[in-house]
Amino acid sequence: MINQQLLDFIKQQLLKGVDKETITKELLGSGWLEQDINEGFNAINTQMQAPQKTPMPSVVSINTKEKLIIEKKSFVQKINLFNIFMAIVMLSFIITSSYIISEVVFNLNNSFAYSLHDLYRIVHSFNGIFFTIGLICFILYLIIFIRFKFKKDSINIIKARKNFIWSIVLLIMLVLEYLIPTLFLNYAYKPVIYLYPTQTKNVKVELDYKGKLIADYPAYDYSQKGWAVTAYPDGKIINGDGKEYSYLFWEGESSTPINYDLSTGFVVKGEDTVSFLQETLSKIGLTPKEYNEFIVYWYPKMKDNKYNLIHFADKQYTDTAPLTITPGPDSMLRVFMVFKQLNRGIEVKPQEIKSFNRTGFSVIEWGGTELK
């Protein structure tokens, strides 16, 4: 639909000697429909052919074209910034999706997979910032769209609508980028392995984790497929680097979803976490030194929750992270706590806790994970 702004612009350009074809191209580039442009020219021709009392042409604002161009440039600048951010988010989404596919579908375990994992960890750390910017873009383009819609500005409303739709797509991508890893990846946080031989001996500990190690201390020796250490009866460990360690530490990212069975367990108030863990871990078979180190790590992550649903996984965990120890231990205990934050207490069947008796060369491990 033609308006006075269009008529003034056409009239001004004609008075400057600009030909019809050039004016038409410029208006088409600004979003005007060809039908409206032709109607505008017809209206101007009618005005010029009609008898007028005053030979002077109607006054046209000399700033009409400049105003159109400034508004257009300003809008284009916003679009360009948005497009750059959109490209960054799309790249981030592609990296995340590629990493999930490499882990879940192909279970890659080579240099490419580790490089992809490093990229994923980097982009994942920016998720919060990306989501905040994406939300701002969504609100901004919603306001711009409503503004142009209210003003009936047909030049910019098409572009505003397009970018508003893209801002919705952007938000969806950011939400998916956050949710996809939580659906397909499980984490094993701070499993630590203690070695207690009856006499000093060389021990090899091989971990066949169904996923990727994301942290280890001392470093896991992939060339030997494990840790090669000297273990002492008091728990002291001397690694191949000649340094002393209290235990072998690792963290991992599972390549396959693990559906932990939480049909049995314990519902514990956050404030009661310490007393529960002290009593339960002692009953399971951890020494005060071991369960205190366990509590120091996990208590800060659990204490502020109203309730925690706690389950101690057995085969579901050990099948994911098989340990091969040479020479073989006489007894081995692997404690892996799975917990989930609850906003209210629920009824759950208590889990049966079995006590562990240490005999001969003992290997003790504890770790855990939080389910979202």
Side-chain angles (χ1 to χ4, degrees):
M1 178 181 292
I2 64 174
N3 56 29
Q4 191 59 44
Q5 184 185 31
L6 174 64
L7 296 176
D8 289 345
F9 179 76
I10 294 174
K11 186 180 294 185
Q12 181 188 34
Q13 297 304 300
L14 290 173
L15 291 173
K16 288 183 177 182
V18 181
D19 61 88
K20 179 180 178 180
E21 183 179 355
T22 302
I23 298 173
T24 301
K25 286 183 179 179
E26 187 166 355
L27 288 171
L28 287 172
S30 298
W32 285 93
L33 299 177
E34 187 173 1
Q35 180 181 351
D36 293 339
I37 297 171
N38 291 333
E39 289 182 9
F41 276 110
N42 292 335
I44 294 297
N45 291 334
T46 302
Q47 290 178 12
M48 290 183 171
Q49 292 172 3
Q52 299 182 13
K53 295 181 180 179
T54 306
M56 294 294 293
S58 60
V59 178
V60 180
S61 171
I62 60 173
N63 292 324
T64 302
K65 181 178 180 181
E66 287 76 4
K67 182 178 179 182
L68 284 171
I69 293 174
I70 290 172
E71 287 184 358
K72 181 180 176 183
K73 285 184 177 179
S74 175
F75 191 81
V76 168
Q77 288 170 353
K78 292 176 184 176
I79 292 175
N80 287 340
L81 290 174
F82 177 73
N83 287 346
I84 292 171
F85 178 63
M86 188 76 181
I88 293 173
V89 172
M90 289 185 70
L91 178 61
S92 171
F93 184 79
I94 290 171
I95 291 173
T96 300
S97 302
S98 300
Y99 175 64
I100 298 299
I101 292 172
S102 72
E103 286 289 295
V104 177
V105 179
F106 299 106
N107 194 20
L108 298 180
N109 194 23
N110 51 29
S111 58
F112 171 76
Y114 279 92
S115 298
L116 199 57
H117 170 265
D118 292 339
L119 282 174
Y120 161 73
R121 299 285 288 186
I122 292 172
V123 300
H124 194 65
S125 65
F126 287 96
N127 271 2
I129 298 174
F130 285 168
F131 185 80
T132 301
I133 297 175
L135 187 60
I136 292 173
C137 288
F138 170 78
I139 295 172
L140 173 65
Y141 279 105
L142 175 61
I143 294 172
I144 291 174
F145 176 71
I146 293 174
R147 173 172 167 261
F148 288 147
K149 187 81 172 176
F150 180 76
K151 292 176 65 176
K152 298 182 179 180
D153 187 343
S154 57
I155 293 179
N156 286 320
I157 195 170
I158 297 175
K159 297 174 183 177
R161 183 189 298 114
K162 181 177 69 175
N163 281 276
F164 173 59
I165 293 172
W166 274 112
S167 69
I168 296 175
V169 174
L170 178 72
L171 275 183
I172 294 173
M173 288 175 61
L174 288 168
V175 171
L176 288 176
E177 188 173 351
Y178 173 78
L179 290 178
I180 287 175
T182 63
L183 294 175
F184 291 99
L185 297 178
N186 295 97
Y187 295 88
Y189 292 114
K190 204 185 178 181
V192 297
I193 303 169
Y194 303 90
L195 304 175
Y196 300 107
T198 54
Q199 58 185 8
T200 302
K201 63 174 61 179
N202 294 327
V203 179
K204 181 180 179 182
V205 179
E206 182 178 352
L207 173 65
D208 185 19
Y209 185 58
K210 302 300 187 291
K212 189 175 277 78
L213 297 187
I214 57 177
D216 47 9
Y217 181 80
Y220 190 83
D221 190 341
Y222 289 94
S223 63
Q224 299 189 53
K225 296 184 178 180
W227 290 283
V229 302
T230 301
Y232 292 78
D234 62 356
K236 181 176 68 174
I237 295 173
I238 302 297
N239 189 38
D241 57 10
K243 296 180 180 179
E244 180 179 333
Y245 298 86
S246 300
Y247 44 68
L248 305 176
F249 157 76
W250 66 275
E251 283 190 348
E253 195 174 76
S254 174
S255 59
T256 56
I258 304 173
N259 186 23
Y260 287 107
D261 181 10
L262 301 183
S263 60
T264 63
F266 308 92
V267 177
V268 182
K269 289 183 178 180
E271 61 196 45
D272 297 333
T273 301
V274 168
S275 58
F276 168 80
L277 290 177
Q278 285 176 327
E279 180 181 349
T280 306
L281 294 174
S282 176
K283 183 178 180 180
I284 290 174
L286 296 187
T287 65
K289 174 181 180 296
E290 292 161 355
Y291 68 63
N292 283 332
E293 290 176 345
F294 182 105
I295 292 170
V296 166
Y297 180 80
W298 286 106
Y299 175 60
K301 304 177 186 299
M302 305 170 71
K303 66 183 181 68
D304 294 327
N305 299 338
K306 287 186 177 180
Y307 293 89
N308 293 297
L309 172 56
I310 300 173
H311 174 83
F312 293 96
D314 187 12
K315 190 173 175 59
Q316 284 183 301
Y317 166 66
T318 56
D319 285 351
T320 306
L323 274 181
T324 302
I325 299 175
T326 308
D330 299 304
S331 57
M332 181 161 64
L333 172 64
R334 305 186 71 185
V335 180
F336 192 80
M337 178 186 71
V338 180
F339 81 94
K340 184 175 183 178
Q341 175 187 349
L342 299 176
N343 291 322
R344 59 183 179 83
I346 62 172
E347 293 293 329
V348 64
K349 181 180 178 181
Q351 181 179 1
E352 181 182 356
I353 298 297
K354 298 178 181 179
S355 297
F356 171 76
N357 294 319
R358 303 183 187 217
T359 57
F361 175 21
S362 299
V363 174
I364 310 296
E365 180 192 48
W366 62 254
T369 191
E370 178 181 6
L371 301 183
K372 300 295 185 180

